[in-house]
Amino acid sequence: MRPINGDDVTEAVAGCTATLRAAVDRHWRAVRAGRVEWDCHTTAVHVADDLIAYAANLAGRAQDAYVPFELTLDEGTDNAGLLHVIETTGALLAAAVRTAPPGARGFHPYPFRSADAEGFAAMGIAEVLLHTHDMAEGLGIAYAPPAELVTSLLACLFPHVQPGPAPWPTLLWATGRGELPGRAPVTEWRWNNNLVIPAERVTLTGLRPAAAKDLRLGGDGGFEWIASGPYEGTRDAAGMLLKAYEAGVHRPEFGVFALVRQEDGRAIGGIGFHGVPDEDGRVEIGYDLVEGARGQGYATEALCALADWALARDDVGSLFATVERGNTASQAVVTRAGFTRVSDEGAEFAYELRR
């Protein structure tokens, strides 16, 4: 499992066009694309349309809706020409992903109204892989994408889905296209882009499982950090996220966030939840900062932003945090964020914030 990039888009598109060229002389309009309701021609146009739309939304930094245009083929375009269109739109998405600056996001409706470069790359790849499967199934052609690519795609867009014994069957099951032993059939599904919560001076950027894995192993998680890099608490939290993903209990909105300073795009710490809300709507929160970013109000700002986001949800009624007795700086952070001390027994103080 690793982050998705522009080269992965190119690989996915190359696999698609190579597979479908085996049936380029067939009448695609007369063949249904597997389990979907479209014929193979319509499905192929849909793939190209999505690829160019994702490229446009990322490159154009679309904010509230898709860039208002639509792909139209020239009259008489044959199957070979249609595959050329898929290659071209795939190249445009790959280029948009490669050239997007860190932190760039564009509009996508689900689930958090935006996606970053990795998200758009992954969504484009998902469209290519899944609909190539549909068309190949309808045309009677064998198709299976690279396992490593599918593993990374699952971790990026389906972090709520427990990894299965093999990635391709897991993706097909997760999108209602197949069965997986021991799991109920999927009739409705959505993928997940990472959540980003803006604050005044920092942005809370949700970690994906691949980034969490890299952080846990001592890497930078794909972020540029200020001197001395991630603090140990962030690496430990990343490990908790990874374990939750592997167990199939990870909910991305209740994960871990990197704190990215808006003035220079550098990461200065981490914040997040220790799990999902319990049956009473209570959820624990934790945070830390790189030493060079402490004492400047960043932790309070981030905690307030995350608390406001969480308490606006119907499934969260209260937040709590524990702080060591000797950590007066962190005690001041939670107090400034509106938390009230509810327990002072043992080596830690407990704080709570209710809706």
Side-chain angles (χ1 to χ4, degrees):
M1 160 176 54
R2 56 173 177 73
I4 298 286
N5 58 40
D7 291 343
D8 295 319
V9 176
T10 301
E11 180 182 23
V13 169
C16 163
T17 55
T19 297
L20 295 178
R21 280 198 181 93
V24 74
D25 58 341
R26 300 273 298 278
H27 184 29
W28 288 7
R29 293 184 186 273
V31 179
R32 180 172 174 173
R35 303 187 187 188
V36 300
E37 297 181 355
W38 301 326
D39 60 55
C40 288
H41 175 89
T42 302
T43 304
V45 173
H46 170 78
V47 169
D49 198 29
D50 276 345
L51 290 171
I52 192 61
Y54 292 157
N57 271 27
L58 177 59
R61 311 291 187 268
Q63 295 298 306
D64 302 311
Y66 282 99
V67 177
F69 75 99
E70 193 169 325
L71 178 73
T72 301
L73 300 183
D74 288 346
E75 186 174 351
T77 300
D78 60 11
N79 293 338
L82 181 48
L83 291 181
H84 191 193
V85 173
I86 291 176
E87 288 175 328
T88 304
T89 53
L92 291 172
L93 176 57
V97 169
R98 293 186 184 110
T99 58
R105 299 185 75 87
F107 171 80
H108 188 272
Y110 188 84
F112 304 120
R113 306 287 294 176
S114 73
D116 61 4
E118 182 177 359
F120 277 114
M123 289 188 292
I125 291 168
E127 296 286 353
V128 170
L129 268 53
L130 293 170
H131 288 311
T132 301
H133 163 80
D134 298 335
M135 290 182 281
E137 187 175 65
L139 293 164
I141 305 170
Y143 172 71
E148 182 183 6
L149 178 59
V150 180
T151 297
S152 298
L153 181 65
L154 282 165
C156 182
L157 289 185
F158 297 86
H160 54 295
V161 171
Q162 184 177 20
W168 183 226
T170 302
L171 180 61
L172 293 178
W173 166 81
T175 57
R177 290 172 165 83
E179 298 179 353
L180 210 58
R183 303 194 192 186
V186 173
T187 56
E188 294 184 3
W189 61 274
R190 291 279 193 175
W191 53 49
N192 277 270
N193 280 297
N194 66 328
L195 172 63
V196 169
I197 302 173
E200 183 178 352
R201 295 175 298 161
V202 295
T203 297
L204 285 64
T205 302
L207 296 183
R208 297 182 172 96
K213 180 180 180 180
D214 185 59
L215 281 167
R216 191 69 191 100
L217 294 176
D220 58 18
F223 298 92
E224 181 183 353
W225 293 81
I226 64 173
S228 75
Y231 199 64
E232 192 59 34
T234 297
R235 296 196 186 280
D236 290 343
M240 293 170 58
L241 186 159
L242 188 60
K243 287 181 179 179
Y245 169 63
E246 292 171 344
V249 297
H250 176 50
R251 285 176 59 187
E253 63 270 37
F254 289 106
V256 182
F257 301 80
L259 302 181
V260 180
R261 197 162 55 189
Q262 293 175 6
E263 67 179 33
D264 58 6
R266 303 179 74 187
I268 60 171
I271 192 169
F273 302 95
H274 289 198
V276 300
D278 64 18
E279 59 185 13
D280 296 319
R282 191 167 183 257
V283 61
E284 185 175 2
I285 197 168
Y287 54 88
D288 70 8
L289 291 179
V290 177
E291 290 185 8
R294 297 175 186 174
Q296 301 172 55
Y298 289 124
T300 301
E301 180 182 322
L303 182 56
C304 288
L306 191 57
D308 287 346
W309 176 87
L311 292 175
R313 296 175 57 93
D314 293 336
D315 55 354
V316 177
S318 64
L319 305 174
F320 76 98
T322 57
V323 183
E324 295 178 354
R325 280 180 174 269
N327 192 345
T328 56
S330 190
Q331 292 167 25
V333 168
V334 293
T335 300
R336 286 194 296 268
F339 285 68
T340 301
R341 187 187 299 179
V342 294
S343 172
D344 59 2
E345 298 178 2
E348 296 178 325
F349 294 140
Y351 292 82
E352 188 174 48
L353 177 63
R354 292 184 172 275
R355 185 185 301 163

